[in-house]
C-alpha cells in the first residue's frame, strides 16, 4: 500500500446508561481506548505504520441512528431531559430544555485527557487523573469585554 498516511476517526465504544452516575463509570470504554491505542502504538513502532491522528468517538453523547438515545458513545454524559422551551419554534413541548441538561465527564474522558497531555500510553486502571471541575468556575472576559460566568455544581438542585 506504499505506507499511506492514516488518521483513525470516529473510533469508540458504546454503552447503555440512563443516569450520570452509571455513565461516568465507563470502564469498558476506558479498556477499549487503552487496548486500541496500544495497538496503534505497536503498529507505529513495530511496523512503521504512518498514523498521524487518532480521534475517539465522541465528545458528547448523541443521537445514534441505530440505537437512538439508548446507546452512548460520548466521553461526556448528556442528560437528554426534554420538556417545554417557550423560545423554541413549535412544536416546543419535547425539546432540549434550557438550564435542565446536565453534562458530566466520564472516566474515559479523563483517560484520554492524560493520554493526550502526556503523549504516552496509560494503564486503563491508572488512578483518576482528571482535573476537578471547580477549576472552571469563575468570571471570564472575552475579547469584546463581555463577561461570561461559569458555575459548577455537583448535580441538580432539589433532586
Amino acid at each position: 500500500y506504499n505506507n499511506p498516511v492514516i488518521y483513525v476517526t470516529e473510533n469508540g465504544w458504546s454503552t447503555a446508561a440512563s443516569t450520570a452516575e452509571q455513565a461516568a463509570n465507563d470502564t469498558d470504554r476506558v479498556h477499549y481506548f487503552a487496548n486500541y491505542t496500544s495497538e496503534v502504538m505497536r503498529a507505529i513502532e513495530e511496523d512503521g505504520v504512518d498514523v498521524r491522528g487518532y480521534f475517539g468517538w465522541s465528545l458528547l453523547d448523541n443521537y445514534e441512528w441505530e440505537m437512538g438515545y439508548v446507546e452512548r458513545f460520548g466521553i461526556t454524559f448528556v442528560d437528554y431531559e426534554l420538556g417545554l422551551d417557550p423560545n423554541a419554534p413549535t412544536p416546543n413541548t419535547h425539546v432540549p430544555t434550557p438550564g435542565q441538561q446536565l453534562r458530566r465527564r466520564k472516566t474515559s474522558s479523563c483517560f484520554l485527557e492524560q493520554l493526550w497531555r502526556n503523549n504516552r500510553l496509560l494503564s486503563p486502571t491508572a488512578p483518576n487523573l482528571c482535573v476537578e471541575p471547580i477549576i472552571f468556575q469563575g468570571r471570564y472576559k472575552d475579547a469584546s469585554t463581555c463577561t461570561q460566568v461559569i458555575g459548577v455544581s455537583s448535580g441538580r438542585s432539589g433532586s
Side-chain angles (χ1 to χ4, degrees), residues 87-105:
N87 300 315
T90 56
N92 62 354
T93 58
H94 196 69
V95 295
T97 309
Q100 298 298 316
Q101 291 192 310
L102 170 78
R103 306 289 189 271
R104 180 172 173 176
R105 288 186 80 175

Side-chain angles (χ1 to χ4, degrees), residues 130-147:
C130 273
V131 296
E132 291 296 321
I134 198 69
I135 70 163
F136 299 111
Q137 185 164 310
R139 295 177 157 291
Y140 305 92
K141 288 194 177 190
D142 63 20
S144 69
T145 68
C146 180
T147 300

Side-chain angles (χ1 to χ4, degrees), residues 20-21 45 57 67 70 91 118 120 133 148:
E21 290 74 26
E45 292 177 350
W57 183 253
M67 299 302 293
V70 175
N118 299 306
R120 65 181 170 84
Q148 302 292 326

Side-chain angles (χ1 to χ4, degrees), residues 11-128:
N11 180 260
W13 179 273
S14 70
T15 57
S18 57
T19 68
E21 290 74 26
Q22 290 172 340
N25 187 21
D26 61 345
T27 54
D28 288 345
R29 184 177 291 111
V30 171
H31 282 86
Y32 175 83
F33 284 142
N35 289 331
Y36 199 96
T37 55
S38 68
E39 289 301 313
V40 168
M41 179 63 78
R42 189 170 157 217
I44 293 167
E45 292 177 350
E46 292 180 15
D47 300 323
V49 176
D50 190 3
V51 179
R52 304 257 180 107
Y54 174 82
F55 303 92
W57 183 253
S58 115
L59 174 63
L60 300 169
D61 287 334
N62 59 359
Y63 180 83
E64 293 294 330
W65 287 108
E66 185 177 348
M67 299 302 293
Y69 292 114
V70 175
E71 290 288 315
R72 296 174 177 271
F73 279 86
I75 61 173
T76 304
F77 173 80
V78 175
D79 182 351
Y80 299 122
E81 182 171 320
L82 303 175
L84 172 66
D85 181 354
N87 300 315
T90 56
N92 62 354
T93 58
H94 196 69
V95 295
T97 309
Q100 298 298 316
Q101 291 192 310
L102 170 78
R103 306 289 189 271
R104 180 172 173 176
R105 288 186 80 175
K106 298 178 186 178
T107 304
S108 57
S109 75
C110 300
F111 174 83
L112 289 175
E113 175 187 354
Q114 293 306 313
L115 175 75
W116 295 327
R117 279 182 185 269
N118 299 306
N119 197 27
R120 65 181 170 84
L121 297 176
L122 302 169
S123 166
T125 58
N128 185 352

